[in-house]
Structure formats: structure tokens, C-alpha cells
């Protein structure tokens, strides 16, 4: 157990505690793919925190009659009770038990809603776990008011990571790094940190339009996905490549070299999918429309010289990344050329945001 993240208060427990928080999703530029116990990444990852795609969560803790009883957890998604979410939260609560000992005293009701549709193919685990972690550290603040905001946010990232690795990167805004990197002081496998090196202003309000190619549930769960890297023939080379890509990406972020930034970001996305295509078992998570869109992006970039590139998560959706000053042109391109490849012509405009908030 890590002393830094234990909860030291011995306060008298209030009968009822309510907290509320919101946290955005994030999009990785250098991907986290592969982990060991417990939620320790095999390589460093780096992401943009988003703004519009977010989860808002309301946590209510009510004192149990007997502390020895199993904690009752009820989860409501958009006001509808959703028992299928309970096992994941139960597992999360067990995992953080040593760091949040107050949870044992209470039954929990969690009311959560996402700004993006549940069936959009956008994973809600990053924003969802980050919002819940922010609610939990706010409980601590109410029990121990002298805790500093910076320590609360660090602990929130630490807790969120135990719920879902990428959620650790959804607490703070801007460009966020998670995972120990040999050349970056302050980097950690246990929690994410904003990158402290120089960032060209062009990246401060970068745009991300999520093209919803396939709104279905994920074909490969994240736990299965990460486990595919165990014993993968190219695993070690991939982990080393990610570490180098972090170093390279930092230099492009500092200089504003968009050509190299785009090359690296697209290469990361394709490498993630390449890893899946040669895993055992193997998967193809890109859909035919994903490929159509990628080729259209490349032609558009060649013809117009507008610096727009793509990245992918572990699914078919395409994230279109571009500087804010090209918003008008890129939105027109989406309307005329890309939205026809999206399921129900659906897409979501988003941009780099400021991170989670206590409400
Ligand atoms: C492809 O964070 O969803 O989006 O830790 O098992 O919850 P768990 O995995 P998760 O994995 C995200 C993988 C990714 C790349 C990334 O976000 O870095």
C-alpha cells in the first residue's frame, strides 16, 4: 500500500455525504496498450484532454447500519437504474478500499450521465471513472478540509487509474502524460501529470471531431485488449517505440512542427491496430468506412495543405485532429465528404479542454 495516497482522517463519520463532479474524455496521441497488475502501464502514454464529451456524476453515501455489511451500490445512468454497471464499481471499490477506508461505512448511490450518447462507440470508462474519482476525493475534502487541491487531484488521478488506466489522464486539462518515462522528471506509473515541457500555442485549443463510424458496443473489451500484449511477438519493440515516440512528440509539441506531429500521431493509431491484427486471437477493429475516411483525409491534406490528421481508439471511429484556425474549412470537409461515412451521419465536435471539475 502506498502511504502517500492513504486517508488519514479519523473524523466522526457524517450520516450522509453528497458530492458531484464532472470529467471529460481524452484522446491518446501516444497509446497505452498493454499493462501489468495492478493497472501499471507497459509504456508511457500522452493524451489531449477533451471538453464536450464528458460525464457528470453525483455520489451519495449513506451510513450503513452495521459497518460489517457488504456495501450496497446502486447505479443510475440518465436516471435509469442500471444494475449491469454495479460489478465494475464493486470491483473498483474493493481495489481502492485501502485508500478510501471511509467507503466501508456507507452504502453508495451513483447517478451518472454522459454528454455523448451511450451507444456512440465512445468509451465512457475514462470520463466515468475520472468523474467518480473526483467525487471520492471530494468526500475526503469534506472529512479533512485542510487537504490541498493539488493533492486531491493527484489522488483522483491515482484512484481513476485503478478504475480504468486511461481515466487517470482525464482529471487535468491540456496535454497529459501517464506512465514512468526515463527522461521525464515527475512522470509516474501511478498517476498522470500535465506535461511540463514547452507547448506551442497551436496545441492549446486543438480540435477533435469524432466521426462515429460504428455506434455499436466495443468488440474487444479493454481487459482482453491489453492482455493481447502479453506474449505478443512484437510487444517489447512496441513498448520501446512508445517511449521514443513520447520523446519525439514532446519536441514537436514544443516546436509546433505539425508535419512531424501528424506523422507520429497517425503512426501511433495504425500501430495500435497493427498490434491487434497480429495478436492471438487477432482482431480487425477498423471498418471499411474507417479506411474510406482515412484515404479521404490523406487526399484532402495533399490537395489543400490543411494540417488535418486522424487518430483511432480500439474501435472503428475516427478522431479528426486539426488546429482551431482551420475549423471552418474542416467542418465543410466533414459536411461534404466525411459525414456520409458515419453511422446515421453522426459526429461530435470537441476540442482540448480544462479537465475535470468539482461541482
Ligand atoms: C486504446 O483505459 O480503456 O484507448 O485500463 O483496462 O480500463 P483499462 O483500459 P483503457 O484502455 C485504453 C486504450 C486505448 C488507448 C489509450 O487511451 O491510451
Amino acid at each position: 500500500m502506498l502511504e502517500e495516497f492513504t486517508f488519514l482522517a479519523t473524523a466522526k463519520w457524517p450520516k450522509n455525504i453528497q458530492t458531484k463532479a464532472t470529467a471529460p474524455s481524452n484522446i491518446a496521441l501516444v497509446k497505452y496498450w498493454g499493462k501489468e497488475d495492478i493497472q501499471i502501464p507497459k509504456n508511457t502514454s500522452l493524451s489531449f484532454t477533451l471538453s464536450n464529451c464528458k460525464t457528470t456524476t453525483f455520489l451519495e453515501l449513506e451510513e450503513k447500519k452495521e459497518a460489517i455489511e457488504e456495501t450496497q451500490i446502486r447505479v443510475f445512468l440518465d436516471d435509469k437504474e442500471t444494475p449491469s454497471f454495479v460489478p465494475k464499481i464493486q470491483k473498483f471499490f474493493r481495489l481502492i478500499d485501502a485508500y478510501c477506508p471511509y467507503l466501508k461505512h456507507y452504502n453508495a448511490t451513483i447517478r451518472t450521465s454522459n454528454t455523448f450518447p451511450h451507444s456512440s462507440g465512445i468509451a465512457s470508462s475514462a470520463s466515468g471513472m475520472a468523474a467518480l474519482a473526483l467525487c471520492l476525493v471530494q468526500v475526503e475534502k469534506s472529512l479533512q478540509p485542510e487537504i490541498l487541491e493539488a493533492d486531491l487531484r493527484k489522488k483522483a488521478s491515482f484512484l481513476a487509474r485503478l478504475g480504468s488506466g486511461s481515466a487517470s489522464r482525464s482529471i487535468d486539462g491540456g496535454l497529459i502524460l501517464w506512465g514512468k518515462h526515463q527522461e521525464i522528471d515527475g512522470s509516474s506509473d501511478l498517476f498522470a501529470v500535465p506535461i511540463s515541457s514547452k507547448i506551442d500555442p497551436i496545441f492549446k485549443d486543438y480540435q477533435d471531431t469524432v466521426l462515429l463510424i460504428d455506434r455499436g458496443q466495443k468488440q474487444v473489451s479493454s481487459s482482453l485488449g491489453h492482455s493481447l500484449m502479453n506474449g505478443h511477438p512484437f510487444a517489447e519493440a512496441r513498448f520501446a517505440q512508445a517511449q521514443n515516440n513520447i520523446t519525439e512528440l514532446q519536441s514537436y509539441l514544443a516546436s509546433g512542427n505539425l508535419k512531424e506531429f501528424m506523422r507520429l500521431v497517425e503512426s501511433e493509431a495504425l500501430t495500435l491496430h497493427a498490434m491487434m491484427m497480429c495478436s492471438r486471437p487477432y482482431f480487425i477493429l477498423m471498418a471499411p468506412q474507417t479506411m474510406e475516411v482515412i484515404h479521404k483525409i490523406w487526399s484532402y491534406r495533399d490537395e489543400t495543405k490543411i494540417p488535418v490528421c486522424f487518430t483511432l481508439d480500439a474501435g472503428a471511429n475516427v478522431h479528426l485532429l486539426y488546429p482551431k484556425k482551420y475549423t471552418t474549412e474542416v467542418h465543410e470537409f466533414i459536411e461534404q465528404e466525411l459525414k456520409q461515412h458515419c453511422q446515421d451521419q453522426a459526429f461530435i465536435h470537441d476540442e482540448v479542454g480544462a479537465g475535470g471539475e468539482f461541482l
Side-chain angles (χ1 to χ4, degrees), residues 198-228:
K198 181 174 166 248
I199 300 171
D200 186 278
I202 202 155
F203 297 111
K204 299 261 159 97
D205 52 8
Y206 227 70
Q207 305 291 298
D208 175 8
T209 299
V210 194
L211 302 168
L212 304 178
I213 306 286
D214 181 358
R215 308 177 69 162
Q217 292 294 327
K218 279 207 264 181
Q219 258 185 56
V220 179
S221 72
S222 66
S223 9
L224 170 62
H226 290 286
S227 74
L228 296 174

Side-chain angles (χ1 to χ4, degrees), residues 30-33 41-46 169 177-182 184 187-189 238-239 242-243 246 268:
V30 173
K31 308 291 179 181
Y32 148 54
W33 198 241
K42 288 286 205 176
N43 63 263
T44 313
S45 56
L46 203 163
R169 301 188 311 239
L177 185 90
W178 171 46
K180 182 79 197 143
H181 192 280
Q182 60 281 17
I184 305 175
S187 61
S188 171
D189 285 343
R238 160 60 197 156
F239 301 142
Q243 298 311 98
I246 294 277
E268 271 289 318

Side-chain angles (χ1 to χ4, degrees), residues 22-26 49-56 113-117 120 122-124 126-128 170 208-210 212 319 347-351:
T22 180
S25 185
N26 68 73
T49 303
L50 297 177
S51 174
N52 302 331
C53 292
K54 61 184 181 192
T55 302
T56 300
S113 60
N114 299 321
T115 53
F116 47 92
S120 62
I122 297 184
S124 58
S127 55
S170 273
D208 175 8
T209 299
V210 194
L212 304 178
H319 288 248
F347 55 84
I348 301 173
H349 290 310
D350 210 337
E351 62 186 341

